[in-house]
Amino acid sequence: MSQSDNSFEPNVIDDEMLQKAVEEQWPEDIRKLAKAEGINFKDVMELQLSFRNILQIDNLWQFENLTKLQLDNNIIEKIEALESLVHLVWLDLSFNNIEVIEGLDTLVKLQDLSLYNNRISKIEHMDTLQELQIFSIGKNNLTTLENVVYLRKFKNLHTLNLTGNPFCNEEQYMLFVVAHLPGLVYLDFKLVSDTTREVAISNYHYLTDLLEHEEAQALAQLEEKQAQQKELEYHKTAFVEYLNGSFLFDSLYAEDTEAAKLAYLPGVDDLLQAYRKDFVSVCENLFNYCLKEHEKREAEVSDFYEGLREVLTANQEEGRRIILDFENQNRTRLDEIHHASSHDTAESMRAEYNEDILQLSETLMTLEMQMVDQLEELIKEFERNIAVITSTFIENVKGMMTQCRDLENRHHEKLLEISISALEKSLKNELDEELPDDVREFLVDKNTIVNMVNKSHNIHLLKISMRECDILLNMYHWEASVKEKALQNEIDRNRNRIKEIFQYIDDLQEQLDNTQIPDPTE
Amino acid sequence: MEVLEEKEEEEQKEEELKALEISSELHDTKTKLSVEQICFSSDVPDFDWNSIDTSQLPDSYKMNSPREKKLLRIADHYHQQYTHLCPERKPLFLHPVNECGVEKFVSTTVRPTLLPYTELYHWDGCASFVSDYLTMEPLKCPLTPPSSLYSPTTILKYQRGNCFDFSVLLCSMLIGAGYDAYCVNGYATHNICSLDESLEECPLLRKPQEVPKEDVKKSNKYRVKSLPDMHSKFELQQEAKKKAETEATEKKERGERDMEAEEPTCDHLCGLRVHAWVLVLSGKREVPETFFIDPFTGNSYSTMDEQFLGIESVWNHKNYWVNMQDCRNGCKDLVFDLSDAVHWEIMLSETDKPLQLLLGAEKKNELFDRNVDDMEEEEEEEEEEISFAMPPSWVAPIQISPKEFETRCSQGRKVILYKKAKLEKWAPYFNGNGLVKRLTIYADSNWTEAVEVKEWFKNREDMLDMREVNKQTQLTTEYFSPGHLFGLKVHAYKSMNPQTERVMEFYTETRVDGLQKLAENASEMKEYFMGRDDFKYFQHTEFRTKRKKVTLAGVGTDVNSRPIVQIKECFHRNLQKPADEDIAERVFLIEEEMIQLTYHLKDKYITASKKDFFKPTESYRKQSEIMTPEMCITYQAGSSEQHTKLVHLYKLLQKLTEEEKQLKQQVWRSQAEVLKILEIRENEEADIKLSASIYDTERNEKKRQEYEAMMNAKKDEFPGQNEQDLDYLAPFLIQMGSPEKMTRRQALRLRDNCLSDFKNRLVSKANIIQARFEKEVEELQKKNQLFQENQNQLSEKEEADLLADYSETMFRIHILALRLDREKQTAPQKYLALEEKLRKDPRLAEHLGHA
């Protein structure tokens, strides 16, 4: 009925159309059943919306689990509103009026994409479609052959259709494409023969070699970066990011303008070098210690979970055994009740069975209670161990940080000495070296210089304390989260198990209740 | 001079011999009586060695070379010294007579030989060959070494011999194979000497020692405390005590019984029975430890073995050593370092070890000088003796033909009696059914009441490898090598009738369905699978038995006669699916029209999800409702009442119904297959065929005929090839009237004629190909035209025919084009080749050589 106006009037996808499209997909018998139950768009896996004169894509967000969508032979002009269909594997948009490839970024599972017969002039915006295997973009408006190089990204691409594009008339079209896409098996509906491939490679190796080289370099860079990132992550989990080397020391002086000025005083430079050396070595110690502690913590946690897993598996087997025993014993019981000779015997049998079910429930619950007790002990032990680890860690870190502070104090004292002696010298005009003017300004009276040195010292102490605080806080946080997780896991497990037991028992009882027994004899 | 000397020597020797005889007589007087008794009591062998034909033997068998004579003299000298030094010991076994009545030194009787059979490259292969190939003869007198020692070739020829013959042959083979082997003359127990293994357990029945597995389980510090044990410990203790007591009494009783049964007969000649065996020293051929080989059984023994009671002397092909160690404790304490002059007295000081030679010689000199006074005049000789090397063996090369090697046992059969077991061996192909070995296990020690029979087969076309029959349960188990038609590996059955109890195992890798084992009896069939894509590993089918029918029908031919009651399938976990969508067990209750699904357990769950389908009855089907909630009882573990949609259930049910049908078919197919296997097995058993290797031209009749035919054909093909190549000049020479001598002009003409003729031939050949090519092309065009014109009127079949025809023509054209091409390419080369050949032709060479 609506066929006629469909062909003239452009449509927008609406609920009615979707409903109908979904229904049409099923065979007669199922359709009735489904209709009676009501259709949930979430359950639909495939959808066909071909030949419906659709102008704009819309209202598809409900189809969360859709894997195959056909929108071919419409008059769509823009790819849009497909963002939520993240499970899509197959998308057909052929025979439309699309001009730009866009809006596909979220469809990361896409393997088969057809844009045949549209008005696209550039292959672009497809970087996220790494699973792509089949791509059809024939009969479009592609003019520059170099654009095909873009498709090198897709390592799984084995079938490509480019026929009917303007650049296909170029002499070297075929060889160029084959040379640049070495993984291609089928091009334009035809198998790529080995000879073609050889010729193509020999013709274009000067281009492809370059590309390959660039790609390899990019890959290497990426890998390096990732490795660095990974290491940093690792350090972060050990709470020692930027502790190896002189990071911390440099940060001490990063915002300290006074220290920079003081550095011009004679003798300060040497002092600074020595200080730096000592400080960095303490930092290294701290760094290595933290890494070691991190390993220890990880081992402890994995030990715990390993032990937990063993216990749980044993428990699961035990529970399974109890249930299987019960099921095997009572396999025919319902039937017996159903076919009992009289109402009274059936009643008594039913009562007996009910009793058995309760008994089973009791057994399972006892098992679970034992389990809870055992696990509680286990978790407590784990918590104790974690606490021990934490406290030793904190103690040691504090000790090392104190070393840092001592170094700083010593440095401060020496610096003060030098400064004062420099001041005295300057007052006596005995200074041999030429000093910058702003440094000279400080060398006027004792208070200024002492203040300045003190200020620098305070900044340094503050920084050290902050770093210490960071590490300690992280550690406390880690301890809390590990404990929390273990407890929460156990609570969840317990809840689930109790729920499961109840559900199972309910199910048994329901079955029993539903069993018809012979009517009471008159 | 020489002759004189020899004579002298001989005389001397005779004298010595006499002296020796006398001394030995004297020495033996004590035991003589008993010896004689024993000699008479021993069985007279049924083979008369005097009747053997010695006329064909080579000369070296019949006389001694000068070096051998000298050796004998040295040996006698050595023996004199020995008897002087150790008067209480028995005379040495040095130079018994051979089959021709000539005295030969024992070392020269050893003939190191490596035989061309891979099996004989290892000591165990050699030992088992010798023990199988030769028939054992007891020593004429069990207390003295034999008076004669025949050559290994003679022994091989007649396939029998005593322990010395066995040892010499085996030793020859072992030394040939590179082992450091020695013949041993010594003493052993009665069982060893008389090849009586009836008190020993059959080696085939010995159980391999189980290596206790180490528990490498890492203990975790996180462990739950086990629940308190509520059982009374006292009761347990009491029980254990009781058990131990009963066990002890049982053991005692059993032990007593065993004692009665196996009362070892006390041997009053223990330690006096002479035996010969082989000693293999460690070192060569990566032998890690010195050991003995008993040549009768072919078994190896440790040097500590209690059955070997003492050693008199050992020898190999190079030398002879006398044991100077005390053998009161058997061979346990013996040192087998033969270079140790204190423990072993060497006869010829070793020539290939100069240092030891000097040392040894000095020592010996000292030793002998001290004790022997009347040896001074022989001092010179002794010096010679030191540098004297063992002469080469007088024995002809040992040869064993492939046939003899294969036939093994004399008359192709050998029987060995073990404790409560009998082992029979046959040569391959000796029995028509391929039987090579049979082990019968008896319940009693008298070998009367058979309990179990094991038979080994070889070269059977049906790949039967071993058959085990348990006489008590009547259970037959057949083991097959890979290669049977259905991949059969094991077949255990009580009767060959179908639908009786049986177990079949298969070589899984050869079967598409991954069937590993199929166990069947009257009412059920169990199938075990491995490595299937659908993760199925077990299938259990129950049948409704119709007892009356089965008894009536006997061999039921109708496979479908047993209706299926239920089929149960079990699946492994498929990790790609979530656990509660991955079916673990599927039961089709066919008679009850029910399907039960049980899913795999979810992580940490103890109840499995379940779905029970009740198949719609006919009345339902007519109604519009095709699926109702009552038709499926669902239990979904862990999810609260998330109701599955009827649509899904309906689809699932449809799928299951379809699969049920297929499953039924599959069950019937496996039933049919079982029947087929049974039929094939029966046929195979009824008509046993043995396969022969294609290299075995003697047995493989067909192959031999083919081979002969091929040889004949080869001969026929080029009858004159060897005599004369085709003379390419002959026709032209005839034209010229075959002149005896040619002028230069004639020669040139001859050459030109020949070349032009060849050129013509090439051209005409090319023309022929070209003509054919054109013809084909023309035909093709014609056909094409025809096809174009009639395209619309042609039926499908005609069109297909035409197309086929067309493609064939195309193919021919292609081939012709290729040939033409090749012809064009090769023609110039051929031409040039002929020209070159003509230039080198001897008849034309003188005229053309420089042209």
Side-chain angles (χ1 to χ4, degrees), chain B residues 116-164:
Chain B
Y117 305 104
T118 44
E119 212 187 317
L120 298 187
Y121 190 60
H122 295 285
W123 69 263
D124 41 356
C126 292
S128 70
F129 172 75
V130 170
S131 69
D132 285 350
Y133 192 73
L134 302 183
T135 311
M136 177 264 187
E137 272 180 6
L139 288 173
K140 286 211 179 82
C141 168
L143 301 186
T144 51
S147 56
S148 61
L149 181 67
Y150 293 173
S151 65
T153 47
T154 310
I155 297 300
L156 276 174
K157 190 172 167 194
Y158 296 98
Q159 292 199 9
R160 52 203 298 110
N162 57 33
C163 53
F164 283 84

Side-chain angles (χ1 to χ4, degrees), chain A residues 177-364:
Chain A
V177 174
V178 171
H180 281 87
L181 303 173
L184 221 52
V185 181
Y186 299 96
L187 176 63
D188 299 346
F189 312 116
K190 272 178 287 187
L191 188 71
V192 178
S193 67
D194 287 343
T195 46
T196 319
R197 202 184 300 278
E198 275 164 28
V199 173
I201 287 170
S202 67
N203 279 4
Y204 282 99
H205 69 87
Y206 61 95
L207 278 178
T208 50
D209 282 355
L210 209 64
L211 273 175
E212 267 164 29
H213 183 64
E214 276 170 22
E215 280 167 3
Q217 261 184 346
L219 193 70
Q221 272 176 8
L222 190 71
E223 269 171 11
E224 199 180 331
K225 215 172 161 188
Q226 276 171 351
Q228 275 177 5
Q229 194 66 36
K230 213 173 151 194
E231 198 178 347
L232 187 64
E233 283 298 316
Y234 175 64
H235 290 172
K236 268 192 180 156
T237 53
F239 321 135
V240 288
E241 68 276 14
Y242 303 124
L243 252 186
N244 53 339
S246 60
F247 285 110
L248 182 59
F249 185 78
D250 293 344
S251 80
L252 295 188
Y253 284 87
E255 293 160 26
D256 188 358
T257 48
E258 271 77 10
K261 286 171 193 163
L262 285 172
Y264 289 106
L265 294 178
V268 174
D269 205 32
D270 294 340
L271 187 67
L272 211 55
Q273 285 302 330
Y275 174 42
R276 181 191 163 91
K277 206 179 131 213
D278 291 344
F279 195 88
V280 168
S281 90
V282 172
C283 276
E284 286 288 343
N285 277 346
L286 182 62
F287 177 77
N288 289 335
Y289 174 73
C290 285
L291 282 189
K292 228 193 291 167
E293 279 293 302
H294 173 64
E295 298 288 317
K296 210 165 133 190
R297 289 197 298 268
E298 292 285 296
E300 188 69 34
V301 172
S302 83
D303 264 6
F304 169 68
Y305 281 106
E306 181 63 25
L308 191 67
R309 201 183 52 78
E310 268 172 37
V311 175
L312 288 181
T313 322
N315 173 266
Q316 187 187 22
E317 270 163 25
E318 175 70 14
R320 184 72 198 140
R321 194 186 54 72
I322 292 171
I323 286 177
L324 278 182
D325 283 353
F326 179 80
E327 278 177 3
N328 285 336
Q329 275 173 20
N330 302 303
R331 198 168 285 279
T332 55
R333 205 116 163 214
L334 285 177
D335 267 358
E336 279 167 21
I337 293 172
H338 184 57
H339 296 293
S341 53
S342 74
H343 176 77
D344 290 342
T345 47
E347 275 291 349
S348 67
M349 278 163 90
R350 181 144 84 172
E352 203 180 312
Y353 188 42
N354 204 8
E355 197 63 32
D356 283 351
I357 291 175
L358 288 178
Q359 181 66 41
L360 174 72
S361 160
E362 193 72 16
T363 324
L364 289 175

Side-chain angles (χ1 to χ4, degrees), chain B residues 585-793:
Chain B
E585 197 184 283
R586 201 157 71 166
V587 187
F588 295 97
L589 296 160
I590 289 168
E591 289 202 335
E592 293 165 51
E593 297 264 292
M594 232 180 111
I595 301 169
Q596 293 176 338
L597 301 182
T598 311
Y599 292 85
H600 278 285
L601 285 182
K602 278 203 280 190
D603 190 26
K604 288 178 197 162
Y605 277 76
I606 50 171
T607 56
S609 301
K610 270 186 201 166
K611 284 199 177 83
D612 292 358
F613 288 98
F614 299 93
K615 273 201 259 173
T617 44
E618 285 302 317
S619 56
Y620 258 126
R621 223 165 270 165
K622 277 168 200 158
Q623 290 171 10
S624 57
E625 294 230 300
I626 48 166
M627 184 82 203
T628 54
E630 292 82 49
M631 277 159 57
C632 176
I633 297 174
T634 315
Y635 167 70
Q636 193 77 17
S639 62
S640 50
E641 291 311 307
Q642 197 212 21
H643 212 65
T644 331
K645 288 216 165 186
L646 280 179
V647 184
H648 292 289
L649 291 179
Y650 181 64
K651 275 185 188 164
L652 192 60
L653 182 60
Q654 271 183 327
K655 206 175 120 208
L656 287 173
T657 323
E658 188 53 40
E659 272 172 22
E660 183 183 318
K661 257 184 225 158
Q662 283 172 8
L663 211 56
K664 273 191 203 161
Q665 301 258 323
Q666 189 253 315
V667 166
W668 284 327
R669 269 204 301 278
S670 2
Q671 288 279 293
E673 191 183 328
V674 169
L675 283 188
K676 181 92 189 160
I677 290 175
L678 289 182
E679 195 189 319
I680 284 181
R681 281 296 303 138
E682 252 167 28
N683 288 344
E684 280 169 349
E685 260 337 295
D687 178 23
I688 295 165
K689 279 182 194 145
L690 296 184
S691 62
S693 156
I694 54 163
Y695 302 110
D696 190 352
T697 44
E698 236 171 90
R699 289 220 174 66
N700 203 326
E701 192 65 31
K702 202 174 115 205
K703 217 65 211 168
R704 186 173 61 195
Q705 280 166 3
E706 262 175 36
Y707 181 69
E708 276 168 7
M710 199 173 75
M711 290 308 278
N712 288 339
K714 249 189 192 163
K715 266 182 210 157
D716 293 343
E717 216 171 321
F718 310 106
Q721 198 187 21
N722 293 337
E723 297 143 37
Q724 189 183 16
D725 270 83
L726 275 178
D727 188 0
Y728 40 86
L729 284 178
F732 305 102
L733 280 172
I734 290 165
Q735 270 179 19
M736 290 167 66
S738 312
E740 289 284 288
K741 202 149 170 77
M742 276 182 287
T743 62
R744 186 178 154 77
R745 215 166 61 81
Q746 271 177 323
L748 280 176
R749 212 179 69 203
L750 187 66
R751 188 191 68 163
D752 292 345
N753 278 346
C754 189
L755 285 177
S756 66
D757 191 62
F758 185 63
K759 200 173 180 178
N760 284 341
R761 277 188 57 175
L762 285 177
V763 170
S764 65
K765 197 173 166 190
N767 283 342
I768 292 169
I769 297 174
Q770 178 75 36
R772 280 193 191 146
F773 179 71
E774 277 161 12
K775 200 177 134 205
E776 289 287 352
V777 170
E778 207 176 309
E779 210 170 302
L780 181 74
Q781 277 168 351
K782 237 188 255 167
K783 269 180 198 158
N784 230 347
Q785 212 175 347
L786 199 79
F787 181 66
Q788 299 272 329
E789 280 167 15
N790 305 337
Q791 196 173 15
N792 299 332
Q793 295 137 36

